[in-house]
Amino acid sequence: MKFFTDREICYADILPPSEVRARIEVAVLNFLKILTCADPAISDLLLINRKSSNRRVSQGLLTDDDTWIFLSRSFCKRSLMRANAAKAFIRVWKVMEMCFKILLQEKRVTQRELFYKLLCVSPDCFSSQLQVNRTIQDVVSLLRCSRFSLGIMASSRGIVAGRLLVQEPDKEMVDCSECGSSGYAISGDLNLLDRLVMKTDARYIIIVEKHAIFQRLAEDRVFNHIPIILITARGYPDIATRFLLHRMSRTFPELPIMALVDWNPAGLAILCTFKFGSIGMGLEAYRYACNVKWLGLRGDDLQLIPEESFVSLKPRDLQIAKSLMSSETLQEKHREELALMVQSGKRAEIEALYFHGYDYLGKYIAKKIVQANYI
Amino acid sequence: MPSISTTLPDLCRSQITISFHSSNFHVAIKIFNAVSDTGIGSCLEEFQDLNCSSIIAAEFWDGILSVKTTAICDDEIYHYHLNLRKNISSSRTLTRLPSNPKNGLKFSGTEVYLSISESIDVLVSAINHFFQKIMILNIPNIAIELVTEREDIPGSRCENVFLANKSNPGPLSTSNVECLKSGLEDYVLRHGNSLTQKCNTCFATSERLKVGSGIACSTENHKSSGLMMEVVVIISELESKCPCFRECSSKTEVLYFKDFTPCSISHSTLNVLSTIDWQSYGLTLENVVDQGVCVLEWGDSPSHSQIDMVLHCYHKQYPMHKTQPEQHLIKKAVTAALNNLKETHPGILRSAHALKICSHAPDLARSIAGLILSSNDPDFQGECFSLLGLESREIGANAVEDCIQEKIVSVIEMNDRKPRQRNVVAPSLFEDDCDQDSSYQDKEYEEGEDEFIYLD
């Protein structure tokens, strides 16, 4: 149950290409009208503010589980008339132009490809991938449509393994438990992901932070001992992986989702991103939030880890911890864990568990699941 | 100079004869002024008010003026000796000498005679220089003739006529500021009046000169007559291959006239000049040098551009009463002249801010043009073209891009001409009802404020 929050949400609509092109055309017409009217001006671009100050939380009334963040109606401006920020203004138009052309050609590109295209056409305007990514978010904020609607495909970094059968449209059924340690690659095409037919007999979904851990678990066929689906984004959660996870949670609502991350603030941050979304994803933040629980590594697992495996927290870790602490979405128990991390000044990786043998990890997971030891 | 009435443009003729006597090594200067042959003589008060020590130093001149004057209605020519060496006018002695009868002839004029022990070449050069400056004022109703001769050398008589704007004389009713404009134009075209004609290397086409003028005046009251401040600013492009090309395009000599006389600029006037907001005209004033002549030194100016400036402050009515301070008028008039330049010649004197923004205009125009031309919706394209005022047959990528760029630049320039304080608030691209509820934060999205690095 949610009250009133719906009014505050700013949505990024998922639109067909023709709609997006129409919105861009409206933008051009408005620009020209303001440029050629009796009191001419160069219009500013009004974007939804992607700062933490504009971040709102939708809290489920009954349980903590249904919480997600979204952006509200606070705006920031990109203007040509501010000499120092004029380039950012130009970049928005350049990306809009590029996306417009891509949509006309009925193509899709990844953010990386877009970066190189922009570098060829307007080398003076773009200097880094990060800048391109931010500008894309600007366009999403301006046109209020999803990134995917703009013709930008998410790069496919995520993989799935375990007790899941997937079938792409007009293709053969794929058994994710037979894909070996490389797993089933998650496509960047959200349309495709949306049309996947999925079947499972698993009882749990486990998000794994790191590729190496995923590979170990897949190779050891852990899912033959415990009925699980393994999924990883190989680091920071990308849209496609989150999309698929979200679909899975909707398709198989009875399957609890758990995360296996390193014991450090960054690991918790990744869990939180799957759980709540992130304002870096701008208007699409809210869409793919899932109820994710923290399986490990946690404070009570530390006794399993040898002293030598602990490393000091770095300044960056502390920064992330601070940012997480200040977020009102962080659950009490997670908060306690985070406080423990900061207090001890130490961090540890999942690999530390290999001290007990390479097959220990599977046993560790099984034991925790059976004991329902997740928060 | 005789009084200049701004209402009745009488023609005046002035003849200055400089003759050198080898016997006594003195140079005699005879200045003859006639106010339109049917006019008045001189008023002796004018001479009483002369500050002679600023004219010629004591070692060269004994301070005695011999004045002969007659008005058209007078029966005789009056003759006076005036000793100006005494600084206080009340003690200046005026000796009346016997008059000459006119014997029924009708004429008028004034002749002033003085004798100076100075080298004739120095004197001629100084007088020439003086008149070169006077020509800037370009007063149309005065004709000046300079005659030099050496009494001991027959045939050594040399005549030089200074006529206001002989190449393009305006009607006599032209306002002072218009005269000043064409006078300064001539001055610049002839490289500081050092040439007899306009320099064809630099100024083959008159478009190389951009002229702006500004006026400020103070109101009259019973204590003093109103003051007029007129300013003309000229920006010219010089050719480096011209022999007169001065590498001082980063400097401007400020020419100053007070009551139709060239004079040096007071310290307080210099101060006012340095308080002008030059930055909003894209100019950086580095230094104001005052060594007899006032020179403004610029930083960052385009190498072939030259700025010339003249200020003229005068009383609207003669006789002049106590001089008012003119500082409050200077800033107003100079700013008016710079604004006038900006308005009549779009693209010059752009502030640094505008220049920076304008550099992005081609990119923006290219993007918008790209969006229009790549669309497959003919209605959309048609509407865009009609907004831009383009006919469909003109459509080439360049035409659309140029049209848009031109409009963008003109908006930037228009905003640049507005006073700095007024914040230009531009409308936003999408105005929708979200805005009414929103807490509008006019802040930039700060780079690096993401919670995490978003690397998808």
Side-chain angles (χ1 to χ4, degrees):
Chain A
M1 282 164 58
K2 299 171 215 18
F3 294 113
F4 304 119
T5 50
D6 287 4
R7 220 181 41 183
E8 288 174 28
I9 298 173
C10 279
Y11 289 99
D13 306 316
I14 300 176
L15 301 169
S18 55
E19 273 272 344
V20 177
R21 288 202 322 266
R23 284 196 188 181
I24 296 177
E25 284 171 354
V26 167
V28 173
L29 282 170
N30 284 350
F31 179 86
L32 289 179
K33 281 177 188 156
I34 294 168
L35 186 68
T36 56
C37 69
D39 187 16
I42 298 168
S43 37
D44 292 336
L45 301 171
L46 214 54
L47 311 174
I48 291 182
N49 218 334
R50 302 196 300 281
K51 289 170 96 154
S52 41
S53 49
N54 191 27
R55 187 173 163 272
R56 302 276 180 278
V57 179
S58 169
Q59 207 90 38
L61 275 184
L62 298 177
T63 65
D64 248 356
D65 299 338
D66 205 2
T67 305
W68 35 272
I69 63 172
F70 59 93
L71 291 179
S72 187
R73 291 169 192 283
S74 160
F75 297 90
C76 74
K77 214 161 58 156
R78 292 243 183 268
S79 173
L80 184 66
M81 300 321 239
R82 284 189 209 152
N84 295 332
K87 260 203 166 153
F89 176 91
I90 301 285
R91 282 198 282 266
V92 177
W93 280 105
K94 291 284 175 201
V95 169
M96 261 205 293
E97 186 194 355
M98 188 67 75
C99 290
F100 189 76
K101 289 179 179 163
I102 289 167
L103 289 171
L104 269 171
Q105 293 166 352
E106 293 182 1
K107 283 184 157 174
R108 293 206 177 280
V109 294
T110 63
Q111 285 192 147
R112 193 95 190 129
E113 285 172 323
L114 190 68
F115 170 53
Y116 281 107
K117 279 174 105 82
L118 289 165
L119 214 53
C120 287
V121 168
S122 320
D124 300 327
C125 295
F126 295 94
S127 58
S128 72
Q129 179 71 59
L130 193 57
Q131 214 173 50
V132 170
N133 296 353
R134 286 207 178 106
T135 311
I136 291 169
Q137 288 303 321
D138 280 352
V139 176
V140 166
S141 296
L142 177 72
L143 299 176
R144 315 268 186 95
C145 70
S146 73
R147 199 179 58 172
F148 187 71
S149 309
L150 288 172
I152 298 169
M153 221 165 42
S155 59
S156 51
R157 226 175 43 232
I159 34 181
V160 179
R163 309 190 72 85
L164 181 70
L165 298 170
V166 292
Q167 186 178 22
E168 290 175 27
D170 307 321
K171 292 255 179 80
E172 294 285 307
M173 183 75 80
V174 173
D175 185 352
C176 297
S177 63
E178 299 299 325
C179 294
S181 60
S182 49
Y184 167 79
I186 301 174
S187 164
D189 184 340
L190 300 186
N191 262 341
L192 186 90
L193 291 179
D194 209 25
R195 293 179 298 161
L196 277 180
V197 175
M198 297 189 286
K199 293 198 183 107
T200 188
D201 64 354
R203 301 276 300 281
Y204 313 94
I205 300 174
I206 303 194
I207 302 170
V208 182
E209 178 187 351
K210 296 189 305 197
H211 190 199
I213 304 295
F214 179 94
Q215 281 180 314
R216 161 77 22 224
L217 291 170
E219 212 171 273
D220 290 352
R221 304 176 80 86
V222 154
F223 39 79
N224 283 347
H225 307 301
I226 9 169
I228 56 174
I229 298 173
L230 288 169
I231 184 169
T232 181
R234 296 194 270 175
Y236 189 80
D238 61 291
I239 271 264
T241 309
R242 290 183 61 206
F243 182 91
L244 187 62
L245 182 69
H246 185 80
R247 259 213 78 204
M248 279 199 260
S249 73
R250 288 286 183 262
T251 315
F252 314 120
E254 68 285 1
L255 262 53
I257 305 173
M258 296 169 244
L260 184 63
V261 296
D262 286 342
W263 194 67
N264 62 27
L268 178 57
I270 284 173
L271 187 153
C272 288
T273 303
F274 277 110
K275 194 173 167 65
F276 305 119
S278 119
I279 58 171
M281 289 183 184
L283 293 186
E284 302 182 72
Y286 71 94
R287 197 169 275 129
Y288 308 120
C290 299
N291 183 9
V292 178
K293 303 203 190 297
W294 193 351
L295 184 67
L297 287 174
R298 292 205 327 268
D300 58 357
D301 301 322
L302 298 182
Q303 14 121 8
L304 304 168
I305 294 172
E307 193 57 43
E308 309 82 66
S309 301
F310 287 97
V311 176
S312 304
L313 284 177
K314 301 221 173 34
R316 176 86 182 121
D317 294 320
L318 292 169
Q319 240 182 329
I320 296 174
K322 191 170 164 205
S323 172
L324 283 169
M325 280 295 202
S326 64
S327 133
E328 68 267 33
T329 50
L330 197 63
Q331 278 170 234
E332 197 49 51
K333 292 197 176 148
H334 293 186
R335 201 176 280 275
E336 282 166 11
E337 289 278 341
L338 185 61
L340 181 63
M341 268 185 222
V342 173
Q343 206 179 38
S344 71
K346 297 222 187 302
R347 49 186 266 191
E349 294 187 331
I350 301 170
E351 282 91 332
L353 291 173
Y354 292 151
F355 171 76
H356 300 282
Y358 286 111
D359 57 347
Y360 183 75
L361 192 56
K363 291 181 193 154
Y364 161 84
I365 292 171
K367 186 169 173 198
K368 284 208 113 165
I369 288 174
V370 160
Q371 290 173 346
N373 188 353
Y374 36 85
I375 53 171
Chain B
M1 295 292 288
S3 63
I4 315 290
S5 161
T6 51
T7 51
L8 297 167
D10 285 325
L11 295 170
C12 303
R13 184 165 58 90
S14 187
Q15 184 188 61
I16 301 154
T17 311
I18 305 179
S19 24
F20 177 68
H21 301 273
S22 58
S23 54
N24 56 9
F25 294 99
H26 268 73
V27 180
I29 302 179
K30 197 160 58 171
I31 303 167
F32 174 74
N33 289 329
V35 180
S36 68
D37 286 329
T38 52
I40 54 171
S42 280
C43 165
L44 285 177
E45 281 172 1
E46 299 172 44
F47 297 101
Q48 304 276 32
D49 289 335
L50 279 176
N51 181 356
C52 73
S53 56
S54 68
I55 303 170
I56 306 166
E59 65 233 56
F60 300 119
W61 179 41
D62 56 9
I64 309 260
L65 285 179
S66 167
V67 181
K68 288 183 190 160
T69 183
T70 185
I72 199 77
C73 48
D74 292 334
D75 296 323
E76 46 192 8
I77 305 170
Y78 303 103
H79 192 185
Y80 304 96
H81 265 191
L82 202 57
N83 186 344
L84 295 177
R85 226 4 109 185
K86 311 276 165 63
N87 277 331
I88 308 157
S89 38
S90 55
S91 67
R92 284 179 174 175
T93 50
L94 181 73
T95 316
R96 189 160 169 179
L97 297 172
S99 313
N100 296 85
K102 281 160 80 170
N103 295 328
L105 291 172
K106 290 267 182 227
F107 56 87
S108 71
T110 303
E111 187 186 272
V112 177
Y113 176 91
L114 59 150
S115 180
I116 298 176
S117 56
E118 174 58 274
S119 147
I120 190 170
D121 300 314
V122 169
L123 210 54
V124 169
S125 156
I127 292 179
N128 265 318
H129 190 68
F130 175 85
F131 282 117
Q132 275 167 3
K133 286 264 165 76
I134 289 285
M135 285 299 109
I136 297 172
L137 290 175
N138 196 25
I139 305 155
N141 52 330
I142 296 182
I144 304 172
E145 191 186 357
L146 179 64
V147 178
T148 53
E149 59 187 359
R150 286 184 57 125
E151 296 233 324
D152 48 348
I153 300 171
S156 65
R157 190 179 167 100
C158 172
E159 288 175 22
N160 198 355
V161 180
F162 294 89
L163 272 180
N165 208 344
K166 44 189 174 177
S167 53
N168 187 19
L172 287 178
S173 56
T174 315
S175 69
N176 284 338
V177 72
E178 288 300 317
C179 292
L180 192 62
K181 260 167 109 167
S182 58
L184 189 66
E185 273 180 43
D186 257 4
Y187 180 83
V188 172
L189 288 171
R190 294 189 290 167
H191 289 312
N193 282 347
S194 59
L195 307 173
T196 46
Q197 305 187 61
K198 110 178 156 171
C199 172
N200 275 316
T201 319
C202 296
F203 305 115
T205 54
S206 60
E207 282 134 34
R208 306 292 282 267
L209 283 191
K210 298 183 176 76
V211 187
S213 65
I215 294 177
C217 51
S218 70
T219 49
E220 293 180 31
N221 54 45
H222 66 280
K223 281 191 184 159
S224 56
S225 66
L227 272 182
M228 278 294 273
M229 175 69 75
E230 291 170 354
V231 173
V232 177
V233 179
I234 294 185
I235 297 180
S236 50
E237 311 269 320
L238 304 179
E239 282 290 329
S240 49
K241 53 183 191 281
C242 171
C244 299
F245 181 68
R246 298 167 274 175
E247 254 112 58
C248 42
S249 56
S250 57
K251 295 196 179 115
T252 295
E253 184 191 335
V254 181
L255 301 161
Y256 192 73
F257 290 83
K258 205 168 158 71
D259 289 307
F260 298 90
T261 312
C263 71
S264 55
I265 300 189
S266 68
H267 202 63
S268 45
T269 305
L270 280 180
N271 284 341
V272 174
L273 285 177
S274 46
T275 64
I276 290 174
D277 184 15
W278 301 102
Q279 289 274 20
S280 62
Y281 301 100
L283 298 168
T284 317
L285 181 63
E286 272 187 1
N287 204 7
V288 179
V289 176
D290 179 25
Q291 285 163 355
V293 290
C294 166
V295 174
L296 301 177
E297 287 177 1
W298 310 106
D300 280 351
S301 59
S303 55
H304 292 249
S305 265
Q306 167 81 22
I307 303 175
D308 285 279
M309 197 184 306
V310 62
L311 277 63
H312 183 196
C313 180
Y314 60 92
H315 289 85
K316 285 191 249 187
Q317 293 293 337
Y318 184 86
M320 306 167 294
H321 295 292
K322 183 177 162 161
T323 317
Q324 285 178 337
E326 71 268 24
Q327 278 72 33
H328 64 292
L329 298 174
I330 294 171
K331 199 165 177 175
K332 214 172 152 192
V334 172
T335 313
L338 291 168
N339 286 342
N340 178 237
L341 256 176
K342 249 178 132 154
E343 265 158 53
T344 47
H345 301 278
I348 60 167
L349 295 181
R350 279 186 206 159
S351 67
H353 177 258
L355 276 173
K356 205 168 173 187
I357 296 176
C358 269
S359 65
H360 297 298
D363 268 322
L364 182 59
R366 202 169 303 129
S367 249
I368 308 273
L371 277 164
I372 300 172
L373 293 166
S374 51
S375 169
N376 60 2
D377 181 350
D379 292 332
F380 163 69
Q381 287 186 321
E383 203 178 334
C384 291
F385 295 141
S386 101
L387 281 169
L388 291 169
L390 291 172
E391 296 289 328
S392 29
R393 55 191 146 83
E394 284 169 56
I395 308 315
N398 285 339
V400 181
E401 206 178 300
D402 290 342
C403 177
I404 297 172
Q405 187 172 329
E406 189 196 300
K407 293 193 189 313
I408 292 172
V409 169
S410 96
V411 168
I412 295 170
E413 282 178 353
M414 190 184 73
N415 287 339
D416 200 31
R417 291 199 285 272
K418 290 183 183 152
R420 278 278 198 95
Q421 295 88 338
R422 270 195 35 220
N423 266 325
V424 182
V425 178
S428 311
L429 203 55
F430 294 118
E431 308 276 7
D432 63 354
D433 50 13
C434 275
D435 298 347
Q436 266 77 337
D437 302 337
S438 72
S439 53
Y440 184 72
Q441 286 171 33
D442 192 14
K443 284 190 283 182
E444 267 312 310
Y445 176 68
E446 278 136 42
E447 307 280 6
E449 268 251 5
D450 292 313
E451 283 176 352
F452 312 110
I453 297 166
Y454 185 59
L455 280 173
D456 184 9

